[in-house]
């Protein structure tokens, strides 16, 4: 059986093993013991509320309770860019015109930006290949939205998610090869590693501050601006279902899109409901439902097949055990799948 739960200090070895499966391009999940150990320490302190909300990094793992393996991981950072610079490119437009020559041109540009500083960030989503079946990926990604809906006061008004940018079959980044390499003089994986370790001062030191004309880049670099890694496309669709969208910000290394949303406009904020666990009711076979407990320091979530009725939700003893709850306790629910409006 699977459960999504708050990460524990004892998960470090299993998390490192999981991180070895990730590959390049995800700077927040490198198989480095010190980096991940420090991050887990921050996560444990976050759930315990012993550090300020803006410094928190809530990490969640999907655990296979039968084998004890970690099937996946995801996270929410309380706020980005407050301790170290948070850079993106903002896609803009410059107009050049001459009435005398009857010439009018619009040129796409890239501006080095810190506009998203202070936003809450969804990050570090990864599901082990052995578990990429059924609803597991969808469940893992959407678990974070139910957590935000339960504890909205812990997060900023704006939510962002940096998506991994497009990579060629050999693992190279066309955008980085067409732009970044000229300034950084090192391989993409090396830059990726430096940013993962928090060494970002070189970005401001080496990147130009003036707007960059997109038309000056090689065609293959231009084509991938705002395009996601092939394996990231499903994750993007899931986030968009929950209310996130692209507003013209991209990663400065691989040009992956940054999705944004206002927390108040998320589907989970609008549609999630609270219910009381009812031990006497009979569970029914319905559409999958995300169900979480309401405990910050022991947050847990499952997928159940039940519908809240008159504010009560039928859960089996096994489901209650996975949630660390019992009859009479309050849980929060949200349909796993987006329900389309039917017009008659």
């Amino acid at each position: 059986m699977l459960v999504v739960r708050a990460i524990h200090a004892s998960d470090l070895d299993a998390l490192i093993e999981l991180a070895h499966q990730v590959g390049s391009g995800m700077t927040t999940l490198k198989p480095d013991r010190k980096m991940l150990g420090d991050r887990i320490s921050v996560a444990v302190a976050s759930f315990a509320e012993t550090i300020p909300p803006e410094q928190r990094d809530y990490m969640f793992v999907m655990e296979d309770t039968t084998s004890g393996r970690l099937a996946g991981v995801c996270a929410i950072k309380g706020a980005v860019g407050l301790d170290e610079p948070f850079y993106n490119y903002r896609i803009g437009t410059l107009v050049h015109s001459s009435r005398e020559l009857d010439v009018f041109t619009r040129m796409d540009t890239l501006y080095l930006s810190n506009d998203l500083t202070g936003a809450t960030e969804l990050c570090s989503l990864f599901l082990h290949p052995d578990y990429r079946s059924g609803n597991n990926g969808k469940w893992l990604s959407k678990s974070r939205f139910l957590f935000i809906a339960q504890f909205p006061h812990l997060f900023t008004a704006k939510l962002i998610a940096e998506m991994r940018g497009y990579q060629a079959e050999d693992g190279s980044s066309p955008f980085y090869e067409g732009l970044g390499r000229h300034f950084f003089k090192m391989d993409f994986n090396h830059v990726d590693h430096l940013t993962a370790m928090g060494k970002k001062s070189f970005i401001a030191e080496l990147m130009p501050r003036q707007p960059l004309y997109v038309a000056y880049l090689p065609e293959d670099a231009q084509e991938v601006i705002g395009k996601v890694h092939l394996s990231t496309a499903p994750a993007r669709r899931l986030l968009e279902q929950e209310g996130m969208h692209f507003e013209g910000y991209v990663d400065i290394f691989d040009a992956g899109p940054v999705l944004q949303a206002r927390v108040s406009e998320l589907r989970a904020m609008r549609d999630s409901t609270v219910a009381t666990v009812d031990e006497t009711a009979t569970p029914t076979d319905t559409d999958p439902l995300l169900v979480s407990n309401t405990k910050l320091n022991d947050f847990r979530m499952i997928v159940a097949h039940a519908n809240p009725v008159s504010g009560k939700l039928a859960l089996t003893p096994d489901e209650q055990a996975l949630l660390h709850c019992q009859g009479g306790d309050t849980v929060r629910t949200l349909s796993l799948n987006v329900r389309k409006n039917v017009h008659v």
Side-chain angles (χ1 to χ4, degrees):
M1 300 180 74
L2 297 174
V3 62
V4 171
R5 60 168 174 80
I7 200 165
H8 302 151
S10 58
D11 291 319
L12 178 57
D13 288 339
L15 183 63
I16 292 173
E17 183 178 341
L18 188 65
H20 276 292
Q21 298 283 330
V22 175
S24 64
M26 188 181 290
T27 58
T28 60
L29 202 62
K30 296 294 184 184
D32 181 277
R33 177 169 290 272
K34 184 180 186 311
M35 185 189 79
L36 290 182
D38 290 345
R39 193 167 178 207
I40 288 178
S41 296
V42 172
V44 170
S46 301
F47 288 110
E49 297 189 276
T50 58
I51 57 177
E54 65 272 12
Q55 296 177 10
R56 295 180 190 174
D57 184 2
Y58 301 96
M59 294 188 73
F60 309 89
V61 291
M62 177 179 279
E63 179 187 2
D64 184 336
T65 59
T66 303
S67 64
R69 292 179 66 190
L70 293 191
V73 61
C74 61
I76 313 170
K77 288 192 175 183
V80 297
L82 300 184
D83 296 323
E84 57 189 19
F86 188 78
Y87 293 101
N88 295 104
Y89 278 132
R90 175 171 56 85
I91 302 173
T93 303
L94 283 177
V95 173
H96 300 266
S97 65
S98 170
R99 182 173 298 178
E100 181 180 355
L101 298 178
D102 193 26
V103 173
F104 183 94
T105 59
R106 294 165 53 95
M107 303 288 288
D108 287 337
T109 54
L110 298 173
Y111 294 84
L112 193 62
S113 158
N114 302 117
D115 293 352
L116 302 180
T117 295
T120 292
E121 182 187 23
L122 302 182
C123 59
S124 307
L125 176 68
F126 182 74
L127 185 64
H128 193 286
D130 292 350
Y131 291 88
R132 292 176 186 172
S133 60
N135 290 318
N136 293 343
K138 184 184 298 186
W139 166 20
L140 182 62
S141 175
K142 297 192 177 189
S143 63
R144 297 170 294 184
F145 294 99
L146 201 55
F147 183 82
I148 291 172
Q150 179 60 37
F151 307 105
H153 61 285
L154 299 178
F155 304 102
T156 62
K158 180 178 287 187
L159 181 67
I160 65 169
E162 286 190 309
M163 312 303 293
R164 196 190 315 198
Y166 179 86
Q167 292 181 5
E169 291 184 3
D170 62 1
S172 64
S173 165
F175 183 79
Y176 180 79
E177 295 301 323
L179 177 59
R181 181 180 287 277
H182 296 293
F183 296 97
F184 299 127
K185 306 297 183 184
M186 60 185 75
D187 289 340
F188 175 74
N189 287 336
H190 189 194
V191 170
D192 191 50
H193 176 73
L194 288 175
T195 55
M197 302 303 291
K199 299 176 181 178
K200 299 182 179 180
S201 61
F202 70 91
I203 299 174
E205 294 166 352
L206 298 177
M207 288 301 288
R209 289 288 178 174
Q210 62 270 30
L212 300 171
Y213 285 92
V214 172
Y216 289 174
L217 300 179
E219 283 191 18
D220 61 345
Q222 296 182 41
E223 291 171 356
V224 300
I225 294 175
K227 188 176 180 181
V228 296
H229 191 285
L230 293 178
S231 64
T232 307
R236 177 177 185 170
R237 288 193 294 271
L238 291 177
L239 295 183
E240 290 174 336
Q241 288 175 5
E242 299 304 313
M244 303 194 73
H245 48 273
F246 179 55
E247 290 192 11
Y249 288 86
V250 298
D251 182 81
I252 66 169
F253 297 122
D254 61 19
V258 181
L259 302 187
Q260 299 185 50
R262 294 191 64 80
V263 167
S264 61
E265 296 174 357
L266 295 172
R267 180 178 75 100
M269 294 293 294
R270 182 180 67 249
D271 294 347
S272 69
T273 60
V274 292
T276 301
V277 176
D278 186 356
E279 296 179 295
T280 63
T282 302
T284 55
D285 188 14
T286 64
D287 291 337
L289 185 74
L290 293 174
V291 184
S292 77
N293 65 25
T294 57
K295 306 170 187 175
L296 177 61
N297 62 350
D298 184 29
F299 184 80
R300 300 173 73 87
M301 177 186 294
I302 63 170
V303 171
H305 289 271
N307 267 334
V309 177
S310 300
K312 295 184 177 182
L313 183 70
L315 294 177
T316 67
D318 285 343
E319 290 171 338
Q320 293 177 47
L322 286 173
L323 287 174
H324 289 181
C325 69
Q326 57 189 2
D329 285 350
T330 299
V331 293
R332 181 170 291 273
T333 72
L334 178 70
S335 61
L336 178 66
N337 300 313
V338 178
R339 291 168 178 164
K340 297 181 180 179
N341 293 326
V342 178
H343 300 284
V344 180

